[in-house]
Amino acid sequence: MNTYEQVHDKLKTLHLEAMDSILDNYIENAKDKSFLEILEYLLDQEIKNKKQKTIDVRLRYSGFPFRKTLDEFDFTFQPSIDKNTINELRTLRFIYNKENVIFLGPPGVGKTHLAIGIGMEAIRSGILVYYISTVKLIQNLKRDYQTGRLEYKLRTYNKFPLMIIDEIGYLLLNKEESNLLFQFVSYRYEHNSTIFTSNKSYSEWGEILGDEVIASAILDRILHHSTTVNIKGESYRLKERKKIRLFNPK
Ligand code: ADP
Ligand code: MG
């Protein structure tokens, strides 16, 4: 093996994929550069590539039902949202402070979009995020409880500094189910951050959770350190449908 082949072979052994793929071209065009400059450039590319790969993997495992950023959100369509609040959330300080965020509002106003947008910011800055719908979370917790793995599972969820629990209120919970949700919320309380979305106002949570006492215990913990974004507006889906009808009148 000549030196050229050996270098590429060694780069492969060390999994320095970016360096391996750009080396030839770069060296060809870097004749006026010093050895240190070349080395630094190649290392920079490798670091960038590795960071992007980590982000890609974390995005894949985040469970997001779709990927949308905060920049893709049209705030002019939803004037009830205070942009300053979203900008503050965007700094991710709430995660460092172990605070919660709750998006309230009717269907289609962008609750899930905003939650995922913040989640994507967090992943980009190296924070582990996990998304799950309330229905799925409750299903999982029930199964974990039945198989004696609840404690273990709650500890696993706590490895995520940010979780997104989507759509509280679409499913009415019985007492056993809201008890499990209470345990989940208590476990994360003041240890981690959670973003919740709900189509129901807090005064209706008693109904959803089937028990006023558990509901207020859950709300107490969620709201103790939290930001609520109450969205009052039209459904974006409806707007898109109207637009389609406008251009395709029957
Ligand atoms: P919700 O969770 O409140 O029911 P979603 O976040 O799922 O609503 O929004 C429904 C769809 O409309 C999504 O595809 C979302 O990206 C889009 N959407 C909602 N509001 C906006 C907005 N203000 N700007 C851009 N897209 C939006
Ligand atoms: Mg939603």
Side-chain angles (χ1 to χ4, degrees), residues 13-39:
T13 305
L14 289 169
H15 303 289
L16 301 173
E17 293 146 19
M19 287 176 75
D20 186 32
S21 73
I22 59 176
L23 183 68
D24 298 0
N25 230 326
Y26 185 68
I27 292 206
E28 190 70 30
N29 295 306
K31 296 217 161 68
D32 54 337
K33 299 235 167 29
S34 73
F35 170 73
L36 271 182
E37 278 174 325
I38 293 176
L39 187 61

Side-chain angles (χ1 to χ4, degrees), residues 75-87:
F75 285 92
T76 59
F77 181 75
Q78 220 54 268
S80 73
I81 299 174
D82 178 21
K83 189 116 194 258
N84 290 329
T85 307
I86 304 298
N87 284 337

Side-chain angles (χ1 to χ4, degrees), residues 49-82:
N49 182 51
K50 290 234 180 316
K51 276 192 181 152
Q52 188 55 48
K53 275 210 161 141
T54 307
I55 290 172
D56 289 344
V57 169
R58 288 182 177 180
L59 270 175
R60 229 177 306 134
Y61 287 103
S62 65
F64 293 162
F66 55 79
R67 286 182 196 175
K68 289 221 176 147
T69 63
L70 291 176
D71 291 329
E72 288 172 84
F73 195 84
D74 178 5
F75 285 92
T76 59
F77 181 75
Q78 220 54 268
S80 73
I81 299 174
D82 178 21

Side-chain angles (χ1 to χ4, degrees), residues 13-159:
T13 305
L14 289 169
H15 303 289
L16 301 173
E17 293 146 19
M19 287 176 75
D20 186 32
S21 73
I22 59 176
L23 183 68
D24 298 0
N25 230 326
Y26 185 68
I27 292 206
E28 190 70 30
N29 295 306
K31 296 217 161 68
D32 54 337
K33 299 235 167 29
S34 73
F35 170 73
L36 271 182
E37 278 174 325
I38 293 176
L39 187 61
E40 192 193 13
Y41 178 82
L42 291 173
L43 288 171
D44 273 347
Q45 298 311 305
E46 189 59 46
I47 289 169
K48 233 191 262 170
N49 182 51
K50 290 234 180 316
K51 276 192 181 152
Q52 188 55 48
K53 275 210 161 141
T54 307
I55 290 172
D56 289 344
V57 169
R58 288 182 177 180
L59 270 175
R60 229 177 306 134
Y61 287 103
S62 65
F64 293 162
F66 55 79
R67 286 182 196 175
K68 289 221 176 147
T69 63
L70 291 176
D71 291 329
E72 288 172 84
F73 195 84
D74 178 5
F75 285 92
T76 59
F77 181 75
Q78 220 54 268
S80 73
I81 299 174
D82 178 21
K83 189 116 194 258
N84 290 329
T85 307
I86 304 298
N87 284 337
E88 168 59 33
L89 295 174
R90 192 178 205 153
T91 67
L92 307 176
R93 256 194 293 265
F94 77 97
I95 301 175
Y96 295 99
N97 296 333
K98 305 175 190 326
E99 296 170 358
N100 300 318
V101 180
I102 309 96
F103 290 106
L104 298 179
V109 292
K111 302 182 296 297
T112 304
H113 184 145
L114 290 170
I116 287 176
I118 294 169
M120 299 214 14
E121 291 286 323
I123 287 183
R124 271 196 213 121
S125 71
I127 296 168
L128 284 175
V129 183
Y130 192 64
Y131 168 103
I132 191 165
S133 70
T134 307
V135 174
K136 192 90 188 69
L137 174 71
I138 298 294
Q139 258 176 21
N140 288 354
L141 292 177
K142 267 164 103 170
R143 194 198 49 212
D144 299 330
Y145 178 68
Q146 280 155 11
T147 53
R149 291 159 57 90
L150 184 63
E151 180 78 17
Y152 168 77
K153 220 29 201 301
L154 290 174
R155 238 182 295 134
T156 308
Y157 285 138
N158 259 16
K159 293 201 177 116

